[in-house]
């Protein structure tokens, strides 16, 4: 079965320190991978995606993610965290073979808490 | 401003009373979808639509209906709501070729079914 795992319910970091939010996936075939962020009382906002090409992708607000095919991972990173980065982060995957259904499989979400 | 608009944002109602949550997008997107968000479960897809008059079930369609009569609107209908449908609901849309396009989400509708 296709699945996405975010092994940490919460990640705590100090402002200015690097942050990593982990995501691993299990899909058959090539994956399309996405990260979204959700602020309180708001919908999900797109951060970045990996479709093909360079394994390191850069996105909004200084975030980046590295696609690792051998480890089936797509961890979200930022070199220097801000208090305003505190939010709920979702990893999502779509097997390429699903075509244009647009369907996504979401992880359970990771709360990022950045302390001043 | 490009956006996906859901109404209402909050609703408390009782078991069995039909309700509709509206969703409208102003980006001329072909693809639209409904998700529910529950703690510890992430988002699960309820229904999706590839275009006008084309809809299909997602992972958790039981107890829900949808329609896509116009490109911009994709209402979610609960004919006979039950307490297990208490949840946070999101509508999303993306452009054609939904394969690798990010989805744009509304701000959510929090439903409480008593």
């Amino acid at each position: 079965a296709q699945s996405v795992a975010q092994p940490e319910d919460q990640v705590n970091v100090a402002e200015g320190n690097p942050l990593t939010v982990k995501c691993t996936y299990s899909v058959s075939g090539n994956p399309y991978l996405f990260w979204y962020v959700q602020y309180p009382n708001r919908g999900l906002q797109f951060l970045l995606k990996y479709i093909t090409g360079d394994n390191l992708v850069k996105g909004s607000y200084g975030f980046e993610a590295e696609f690792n095919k051998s480890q089936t991972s797509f961890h979200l990173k930022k070199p220097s965290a801000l208090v305003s980065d505190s939010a709920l982060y979702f990893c999502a995957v779509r097997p390429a073979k699903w075509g244009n259904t647009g369907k996504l499989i979401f992880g359970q979400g990771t709360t990022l808490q950045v302390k001043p | 401003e490009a956006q996906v608009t859901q109404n209402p944002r909050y609703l408390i109602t009782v078991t069995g009373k039909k309700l509709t949550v509206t969703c409208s997008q102003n980006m001329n997107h072909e693809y639209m979808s409904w998700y529910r968000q529950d703690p510890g479960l992430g988002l699960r897809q309820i229904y999706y639509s590839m275009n006008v008059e084309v809809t299909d079930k997602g992972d958790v369609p039981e107890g829900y209906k949808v329609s896509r009569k116009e490109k911009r609107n994709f209402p979610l209908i609960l004919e006979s709501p039950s307490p297990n449908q208490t949840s946070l609901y999101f509508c999303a849309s993306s452009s054609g070729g939904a394969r690798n396009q990010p989805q744009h989400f509304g701000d959510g509708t929090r439903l409480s079914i008593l």
Side-chain angles (χ1 to χ4, degrees), chain A residues 32 34 36 38 41-44 46 49 51 88 90 94 96 99-104 106-109, chain B residues 9-10 31 35 37 40-43 45 48 50 59 88 90 97-103 105-107:
Chain A
Y32 295 148
F34 302 81
Y36 288 85
Q38 184 181 27
N41 299 315
R42 300 299 303 276
L44 278 69
F46 169 72
K49 66 180 180 181
I51 303 300
L88 181 59
F90 288 98
R94 175 185 307 137
N100 282 342
T101 67
K103 182 175 179 176
L104 286 171
F106 282 88
Q108 65 268 44
Chain B
R9 292 291 313 277
Y10 305 92
Y31 177 88
Y35 296 89
Q37 182 181 8
L41 296 178
L43 278 76
Q45 191 181 52
Y48 66 93
M50 301 278 287
D59 295 316
L88 180 58
F90 288 100
R99 180 194 303 265
N100 58 14
Q101 296 302 316
Q103 295 184 20
F105 285 80
D107 284 339

Short mmCIF file of all heavy atoms in Angstrom, two decimals, chain A residues 32 34 36 38 41-44 46 49 51 88 90 94 96 99-104 106-109, chain B residues 9-10 31 35 37 40-43 45 48 50 59 88 90 97-103 105-107:
data_model
loop_
_atom_site.label_atom_id
_atom_site.label_comp_id
_atom_site.label_asym_id
_atom_site.label_seq_id
_atom_site.Cartn_x
_atom_site.Cartn_y
_atom_site.Cartn_z
N TYR A 32 5.95 11.71 -6.98
CA TYR A 32 5.98 13.16 -6.96
C TYR A 32 5.78 13.56 -5.49
O TYR A 32 4.85 13.06 -4.84
CB TYR A 32 4.85 13.76 -7.81
CG TYR A 32 4.95 13.45 -9.27
CD1 TYR A 32 3.79 13.31 -10.05
CD2 TYR A 32 6.16 13.30 -9.91
CE1 TYR A 32 3.86 13.03 -11.41
CE2 TYR A 32 6.25 13.02 -11.26
CZ TYR A 32 5.09 12.89 -12.00
OH TYR A 32 5.16 12.61 -13.34
N PHE A 34 5.69 16.46 -2.22
CA PHE A 34 5.30 17.83 -1.90
C PHE A 34 5.44 18.07 -0.40
O PHE A 34 5.30 17.16 0.41
CB PHE A 34 3.83 18.07 -2.28
CG PHE A 34 3.49 17.83 -3.72
CD1 PHE A 34 3.27 16.54 -4.19
CD2 PHE A 34 3.38 18.88 -4.61
CE1 PHE A 34 2.95 16.31 -5.53
CE2 PHE A 34 3.05 18.66 -5.94
CZ PHE A 34 2.85 17.37 -6.40
N TYR A 36 3.74 20.90 2.39
CA TYR A 36 2.79 21.97 2.64
C TYR A 36 2.94 22.42 4.09
O TYR A 36 3.32 21.63 4.95
CB TYR A 36 1.35 21.49 2.43
CG TYR A 36 0.96 21.25 0.99
CD1 TYR A 36 1.23 20.03 0.37
CD2 TYR A 36 0.31 22.23 0.25
CE1 TYR A 36 0.86 19.81 -0.95
CE2 TYR A 36 -0.07 22.01 -1.07
CZ TYR A 36 0.21 20.79 -1.66
OH TYR A 36 -0.16 20.56 -2.96
N GLN A 38 0.77 24.50 7.26
CA GLN A 38 -0.55 24.96 7.71
C GLN A 38 -0.40 25.82 8.96
O GLN A 38 0.09 25.35 9.99
CB GLN A 38 -1.46 23.76 8.02
CG GLN A 38 -2.88 24.15 8.39
CD GLN A 38 -3.75 22.95 8.70
OE1 GLN A 38 -3.27 21.89 9.11
NE2 GLN A 38 -5.04 23.09 8.50
N ASN A 41 -5.86 28.03 11.81
CA ASN A 41 -7.10 28.51 11.19
C ASN A 41 -6.94 28.85 9.71
O ASN A 41 -7.72 29.64 9.17
CB ASN A 41 -7.64 29.73 11.94
CG ASN A 41 -7.99 29.41 13.37
OD1 ASN A 41 -8.62 28.39 13.65
ND2 ASN A 41 -7.57 30.26 14.28
N ARG A 42 -5.96 28.26 9.07
CA ARG A 42 -5.76 28.47 7.65
C ARG A 42 -5.66 27.15 6.92
O ARG A 42 -5.42 26.09 7.51
CB ARG A 42 -4.48 29.29 7.39
CG ARG A 42 -4.47 30.66 8.03
CD ARG A 42 -5.59 31.55 7.50
NE ARG A 42 -5.57 31.71 6.07
CZ ARG A 42 -4.84 32.61 5.42
NH1 ARG A 42 -4.06 33.43 6.09
NH2 ARG A 42 -4.90 32.68 4.11
N GLY A 43 -5.83 27.21 5.61
CA GLY A 43 -5.62 26.02 4.79
C GLY A 43 -4.15 25.75 4.58
O GLY A 43 -3.28 26.49 5.04
N LEU A 44 -3.87 24.67 3.87
CA LEU A 44 -2.49 24.30 3.60
C LEU A 44 -1.92 25.21 2.51
O LEU A 44 -2.61 25.54 1.53
CB LEU A 44 -2.41 22.84 3.14
CG LEU A 44 -2.42 21.78 4.23
CD1 LEU A 44 -3.77 21.69 4.91
CD2 LEU A 44 -2.03 20.42 3.65
N PHE A 46 1.32 25.59 -0.20
CA PHE A 46 2.38 24.85 -0.88
C PHE A 46 3.74 25.47 -0.57
O PHE A 46 3.91 26.69 -0.62
CB PHE A 46 2.10 24.89 -2.38
CG PHE A 46 3.22 24.41 -3.24
CD1 PHE A 46 3.54 23.07 -3.30
CD2 PHE A 46 3.96 25.31 -3.99
CE1 PHE A 46 4.56 22.63 -4.11
CE2 PHE A 46 4.99 24.88 -4.80
CZ PHE A 46 5.29 23.54 -4.85
N LYS A 49 8.12 21.22 -4.18
CA LYS A 49 7.82 19.91 -4.74
C LYS A 49 9.05 19.34 -5.42
O LYS A 49 9.94 20.08 -5.87
CB LYS A 49 6.67 20.02 -5.76
CG LYS A 49 7.02 20.83 -7.01
CD LYS A 49 5.85 20.89 -7.98
CE LYS A 49 6.23 21.71 -9.22
NZ LYS A 49 5.09 21.81 -10.18
N ILE A 51 9.65 16.73 -8.58
CA ILE A 51 9.05 15.95 -9.67
C ILE A 51 10.13 15.08 -10.33
O ILE A 51 9.99 13.87 -10.47
CB ILE A 51 8.39 16.86 -10.72
CG1 ILE A 51 7.34 17.76 -10.03
CG2 ILE A 51 7.77 16.05 -11.84
CD1 ILE A 51 6.23 17.01 -9.34
N LEU A 88 2.24 23.72 11.38
CA LEU A 88 2.07 22.29 11.14
C LEU A 88 2.50 22.01 9.70
O LEU A 88 2.04 22.68 8.77
CB LEU A 88 0.60 21.91 11.35
CG LEU A 88 0.17 20.46 11.17
CD1 LEU A 88 0.93 19.54 12.10
CD2 LEU A 88 -1.33 20.33 11.42
N PHE A 90 3.08 19.28 6.49
CA PHE A 90 2.63 18.03 5.91
C PHE A 90 3.48 17.67 4.70
O PHE A 90 3.72 18.50 3.81
CB PHE A 90 1.17 18.13 5.44
CG PHE A 90 0.17 18.17 6.53
CD1 PHE A 90 -0.37 19.38 6.97
CD2 PHE A 90 -0.27 17.00 7.13
CE1 PHE A 90 -1.32 19.41 7.99
CE2 PHE A 90 -1.22 17.03 8.14
CZ PHE A 90 -1.73 18.23 8.57
N ARG A 94 2.49 11.56 -4.44
CA ARG A 94 1.60 11.03 -5.49
C ARG A 94 2.42 10.14 -6.39
O ARG A 94 3.40 10.58 -6.98
CB ARG A 94 1.00 12.18 -6.29
CG ARG A 94 0.15 11.72 -7.48
CD ARG A 94 -0.31 12.90 -8.31
NE ARG A 94 -0.96 13.90 -7.48
CZ ARG A 94 -0.76 15.21 -7.60
NH1 ARG A 94 0.05 15.67 -8.53
NH2 ARG A 94 -1.40 16.06 -6.81
N ALA A 96 3.65 8.59 -9.64
CA ALA A 96 3.55 9.11 -11.00
C ALA A 96 2.56 8.32 -11.84
O ALA A 96 1.89 8.88 -12.71
CB ALA A 96 4.93 9.09 -11.65
N GLY A 99 -1.26 9.19 -12.79
CA GLY A 99 -1.67 10.09 -13.85
C GLY A 99 -2.18 11.41 -13.32
O GLY A 99 -1.67 11.95 -12.35
N ASN A 100 -3.26 11.90 -13.93
CA ASN A 100 -3.75 13.24 -13.61
C ASN A 100 -4.88 13.25 -12.59
O ASN A 100 -5.66 14.18 -12.54
CB ASN A 100 -4.22 13.94 -14.88
CG ASN A 100 -3.06 14.45 -15.69
OD1 ASN A 100 -1.96 14.58 -15.18
ND2 ASN A 100 -3.29 14.71 -16.95
N THR A 101 -4.96 12.22 -11.76
CA THR A 101 -6.04 12.23 -10.77
C THR A 101 -5.87 13.35 -9.76
O THR A 101 -6.84 13.77 -9.14
CB THR A 101 -6.11 10.91 -10.00
OG1 THR A 101 -4.95 10.78 -9.19
CG2 THR A 101 -6.21 9.73 -10.94
N GLY A 102 -4.63 13.77 -9.57
CA GLY A 102 -4.41 14.82 -8.59
C GLY A 102 -4.42 14.32 -7.16
O GLY A 102 -4.19 15.08 -6.23
N LYS A 103 -4.73 13.06 -6.98
CA LYS A 103 -4.84 12.52 -5.63
C LYS A 103 -3.50 12.56 -4.92
O LYS A 103 -2.47 12.27 -5.51
CB LYS A 103 -5.34 11.08 -5.71
CG LYS A 103 -5.53 10.42 -4.37
CD LYS A 103 -6.15 9.05 -4.55
CE LYS A 103 -6.32 8.36 -3.21
NZ LYS A 103 -6.99 7.06 -3.34
N LEU A 104 -3.53 12.92 -3.66
CA LEU A 104 -2.33 12.98 -2.83
C LEU A 104 -2.50 12.07 -1.61
O LEU A 104 -3.60 11.94 -1.08
CB LEU A 104 -2.09 14.40 -2.33
CG LEU A 104 -1.56 15.43 -3.33
CD1 LEU A 104 -1.59 16.82 -2.71
CD2 LEU A 104 -0.16 15.08 -3.79
N PHE A 106 -1.23 12.03 2.18
CA PHE A 106 -0.60 12.93 3.15
C PHE A 106 -0.04 12.14 4.33
O PHE A 106 -0.61 11.13 4.76
CB PHE A 106 -1.62 13.93 3.69
CG PHE A 106 -1.92 15.06 2.74
CD1 PHE A 106 -2.92 14.93 1.80
CD2 PHE A 106 -1.20 16.24 2.81
CE1 PHE A 106 -3.19 15.98 0.92
CE2 PHE A 106 -1.48 17.28 1.94
CZ PHE A 106 -2.47 17.15 0.99
N GLY A 107 1.07 12.65 4.86
CA GLY A 107 1.53 12.18 6.15
C GLY A 107 0.64 12.76 7.24
O GLY A 107 -0.25 13.56 6.99
N GLN A 108 0.90 12.35 8.48
CA GLN A 108 0.02 12.75 9.58
C GLN A 108 0.34 14.15 10.10
O GLN A 108 -0.41 14.69 10.92
CB GLN A 108 0.09 11.74 10.72
CG GLN A 108 1.46 11.65 11.40
CD GLN A 108 2.34 10.59 10.78
OE1 GLN A 108 2.43 10.45 9.56
NE2 GLN A 108 3.01 9.85 11.62
N GLY A 109 1.42 14.74 9.62
CA GLY A 109 1.76 16.10 10.01
C GLY A 109 2.76 16.15 11.15
O GLY A 109 2.78 15.28 12.03
N ARG B 9 -17.36 28.69 7.48
CA ARG B 9 -16.09 28.35 8.12
C ARG B 9 -16.32 27.47 9.35
O ARG B 9 -15.49 26.64 9.68
CB ARG B 9 -15.35 29.61 8.54
CG ARG B 9 -14.84 30.47 7.41
CD ARG B 9 -13.68 29.79 6.64
NE ARG B 9 -12.66 29.24 7.51
CZ ARG B 9 -11.66 29.94 8.05
NH1 ARG B 9 -11.58 31.23 7.83
NH2 ARG B 9 -10.76 29.32 8.80
N TYR B 10 -17.42 27.68 10.01
CA TYR B 10 -17.76 26.89 11.21
C TYR B 10 -19.24 26.55 11.17
O TYR B 10 -20.06 27.36 10.75
CB TYR B 10 -17.47 27.68 12.49
CG TYR B 10 -16.07 28.19 12.60
CD1 TYR B 10 -15.74 29.46 12.13
CD2 TYR B 10 -15.07 27.41 13.17
CE1 TYR B 10 -14.45 29.93 12.21
CE2 TYR B 10 -13.77 27.88 13.25
CZ TYR B 10 -13.46 29.13 12.77
OH TYR B 10 -12.18 29.59 12.87
N TYR B 31 -9.17 20.82 -11.81
CA TYR B 31 -9.21 19.80 -10.77
C TYR B 31 -9.63 20.40 -9.44
O TYR B 31 -9.12 21.45 -9.03
CB TYR B 31 -7.81 19.17 -10.63
CG TYR B 31 -7.71 18.14 -9.54
CD1 TYR B 31 -8.00 16.81 -9.78
CD2 TYR B 31 -7.31 18.51 -8.25
CE1 TYR B 31 -7.92 15.87 -8.78
CE2 TYR B 31 -7.24 17.57 -7.24
CZ TYR B 31 -7.53 16.25 -7.52
OH TYR B 31 -7.46 15.31 -6.52
N TYR B 35 -11.07 17.19 1.17
CA TYR B 35 -10.34 16.41 2.15
C TYR B 35 -10.98 16.63 3.52
O TYR B 35 -11.57 17.66 3.79
CB TYR B 35 -8.89 16.85 2.26
CG TYR B 35 -8.05 16.65 1.03
CD1 TYR B 35 -7.98 17.65 0.05
CD2 TYR B 35 -7.31 15.49 0.85
CE1 TYR B 35 -7.19 17.48 -1.07
CE2 TYR B 35 -6.52 15.32 -0.28
CZ TYR B 35 -6.47 16.32 -1.23
OH TYR B 35 -5.69 16.15 -2.35
N GLN B 37 -9.60 16.51 7.61
CA GLN B 37 -8.40 16.45 8.43
C GLN B 37 -8.77 16.05 9.84
O GLN B 37 -9.58 16.72 10.50
CB GLN B 37 -7.69 17.81 8.45
CG GLN B 37 -6.41 17.82 9.25
CD GLN B 37 -5.75 19.19 9.26
OE1 GLN B 37 -6.29 20.18 8.78
NE2 GLN B 37 -4.54 19.27 9.79
N GLY B 40 -3.83 13.18 13.93
CA GLY B 40 -3.07 11.94 13.81
C GLY B 40 -3.26 11.20 12.51
O GLY B 40 -2.58 10.20 12.26
N LEU B 41 -4.17 11.69 11.67
CA LEU B 41 -4.47 10.98 10.41
C LEU B 41 -4.09 11.80 9.19
O LEU B 41 -4.23 11.33 8.06
CB LEU B 41 -5.95 10.62 10.34
CG LEU B 41 -6.44 9.63 11.39
CD1 LEU B 41 -7.94 9.40 11.24
CD2 LEU B 41 -5.70 8.30 11.28
N GLY B 42 -3.65 13.02 9.36
CA GLY B 42 -3.35 13.86 8.21
C GLY B 42 -4.61 14.22 7.47
O GLY B 42 -5.69 14.32 8.04
N LEU B 43 -4.48 14.41 6.16
CA LEU B 43 -5.64 14.70 5.32
C LEU B 43 -5.99 13.47 4.51
O LEU B 43 -5.12 12.83 3.93
CB LEU B 43 -5.33 15.85 4.36
CG LEU B 43 -5.47 17.26 4.92
CD1 LEU B 43 -4.30 17.61 5.81
CD2 LEU B 43 -5.60 18.26 3.78
N GLN B 45 -8.60 12.09 1.40
CA GLN B 45 -9.43 12.59 0.31
C GLN B 45 -10.82 11.97 0.35
O GLN B 45 -10.97 10.76 0.49
CB GLN B 45 -8.76 12.29 -1.02
CG GLN B 45 -9.41 13.00 -2.21
CD GLN B 45 -8.73 12.64 -3.51
OE1 GLN B 45 -8.55 11.48 -3.84
NE2 GLN B 45 -8.35 13.65 -4.26
N TYR B 48 -13.05 13.76 -5.53
CA TYR B 48 -12.37 14.70 -6.39
C TYR B 48 -13.09 14.81 -7.73
O TYR B 48 -13.94 13.98 -8.07
CB TYR B 48 -10.90 14.30 -6.59
CG TYR B 48 -10.67 13.02 -7.35
CD1 TYR B 48 -10.48 13.01 -8.72
CD2 TYR B 48 -10.60 11.81 -6.67
CE1 TYR B 48 -10.24 11.84 -9.41
CE2 TYR B 48 -10.37 10.62 -7.34
CZ TYR B 48 -10.18 10.64 -8.72
OH TYR B 48 -9.96 9.47 -9.39
N MET B 50 -12.21 15.90 -11.86
CA MET B 50 -11.21 16.24 -12.87
C MET B 50 -11.69 17.37 -13.77
O MET B 50 -10.87 18.04 -14.41
CB MET B 50 -10.89 15.01 -13.73
CG MET B 50 -10.37 13.83 -12.93
SD MET B 50 -8.62 13.95 -12.58
CE MET B 50 -7.95 13.61 -14.19
N ASP B 59 -10.64 8.35 -0.80
CA ASP B 59 -10.41 7.26 0.15
C ASP B 59 -11.54 7.08 1.16
O ASP B 59 -11.73 5.99 1.67
CB ASP B 59 -9.11 7.51 0.90
CG ASP B 59 -7.90 7.46 -0.01
OD1 ASP B 59 -7.85 6.54 -0.84
OD2 ASP B 59 -7.02 8.33 0.12
N LEU B 88 -12.53 18.64 10.34
CA LEU B 88 -12.12 19.86 9.63
C LEU B 88 -12.01 19.51 8.15
O LEU B 88 -11.28 18.58 7.79
CB LEU B 88 -10.79 20.35 10.18
CG LEU B 88 -10.20 21.62 9.57
CD1 LEU B 88 -11.15 22.79 9.69
CD2 LEU B 88 -8.86 21.93 10.25
N PHE B 90 -11.40 20.51 4.07
CA PHE B 90 -10.71 21.41 3.16
C PHE B 90 -11.07 21.09 1.72
O PHE B 90 -11.10 19.94 1.31
CB PHE B 90 -9.19 21.29 3.31
CG PHE B 90 -8.66 21.87 4.57
CD1 PHE B 90 -8.35 21.04 5.63
CD2 PHE B 90 -8.47 23.23 4.70
CE1 PHE B 90 -7.86 21.58 6.81
CE2 PHE B 90 -7.99 23.78 5.87
CZ PHE B 90 -7.68 22.94 6.93
N GLY B 97 -3.57 18.95 -15.63
CA GLY B 97 -2.29 18.29 -15.46
C GLY B 97 -2.01 18.21 -13.98
O GLY B 97 -0.92 18.50 -13.52
N ALA B 98 -3.02 17.80 -13.22
CA ALA B 98 -2.92 17.80 -11.76
C ALA B 98 -1.82 16.88 -11.28
O ALA B 98 -1.51 16.85 -10.11
CB ALA B 98 -4.25 17.38 -11.15
N ARG B 99 -1.22 16.15 -12.19
CA ARG B 99 -0.16 15.22 -11.85
C ARG B 99 0.91 15.86 -10.99
O ARG B 99 1.31 15.33 -9.96
CB ARG B 99 0.47 14.71 -13.15
CG ARG B 99 1.59 13.72 -12.98
CD ARG B 99 2.35 13.57 -14.30
NE ARG B 99 1.47 13.16 -15.37
CZ ARG B 99 1.30 11.90 -15.73
NH1 ARG B 99 1.93 10.94 -15.10
NH2 ARG B 99 0.49 11.59 -16.71
N ASN B 100 1.43 16.99 -11.41
CA ASN B 100 2.56 17.56 -10.68
C ASN B 100 2.35 19.02 -10.30
O ASN B 100 3.30 19.71 -9.98
CB ASN B 100 3.83 17.42 -11.50
CG ASN B 100 3.73 18.09 -12.86
OD1 ASN B 100 2.82 18.88 -13.09
ND2 ASN B 100 4.63 17.79 -13.75
N GLN B 101 1.10 19.46 -10.31
CA GLN B 101 0.82 20.83 -9.92
C GLN B 101 0.41 20.87 -8.46
O GLN B 101 -0.33 20.01 -7.98
CB GLN B 101 -0.32 21.40 -10.77
CG GLN B 101 0.02 21.51 -12.24
CD GLN B 101 1.24 22.37 -12.46
OE1 GLN B 101 1.38 23.43 -11.87
NE2 GLN B 101 2.15 21.90 -13.30
N PRO B 102 0.88 21.87 -7.71
CA PRO B 102 0.47 21.98 -6.32
C PRO B 102 -1.00 22.34 -6.23
O PRO B 102 -1.56 22.96 -7.12
CB PRO B 102 1.35 23.11 -5.78
CG PRO B 102 1.69 23.92 -6.98
CD PRO B 102 1.79 22.95 -8.13
N GLN B 103 -1.60 21.92 -5.14
CA GLN B 103 -3.00 22.23 -4.92
C GLN B 103 -3.12 23.48 -4.07
O GLN B 103 -2.34 23.72 -3.16
CB GLN B 103 -3.71 21.03 -4.28
CG GLN B 103 -3.73 19.84 -5.22
CD GLN B 103 -4.50 18.65 -4.69
OE1 GLN B 103 -5.33 18.77 -3.80
NE2 GLN B 103 -4.23 17.49 -5.25
N PHE B 105 -5.45 25.42 -1.40
CA PHE B 105 -6.44 25.03 -0.40
C PHE B 105 -7.25 26.22 0.09
O PHE B 105 -6.73 27.33 0.23
CB PHE B 105 -5.75 24.37 0.80
CG PHE B 105 -5.28 22.98 0.54
CD1 PHE B 105 -4.09 22.75 -0.16
CD2 PHE B 105 -6.01 21.88 0.97
CE1 PHE B 105 -3.65 21.45 -0.40
CE2 PHE B 105 -5.58 20.59 0.73
CZ PHE B 105 -4.40 20.37 0.05
N GLY B 106 -8.52 25.93 0.41
CA GLY B 106 -9.32 26.90 1.14
C GLY B 106 -8.90 26.92 2.60
O GLY B 106 -8.05 26.14 3.03
N ASP B 107 -9.52 27.81 3.38
CA ASP B 107 -9.14 27.98 4.78
C ASP B 107 -9.83 26.98 5.72
O ASP B 107 -9.57 27.00 6.93
CB ASP B 107 -9.45 29.40 5.25
CG ASP B 107 -8.43 30.39 4.73
OD1 ASP B 107 -7.31 29.96 4.37
OD2 ASP B 107 -8.75 31.60 4.66
#
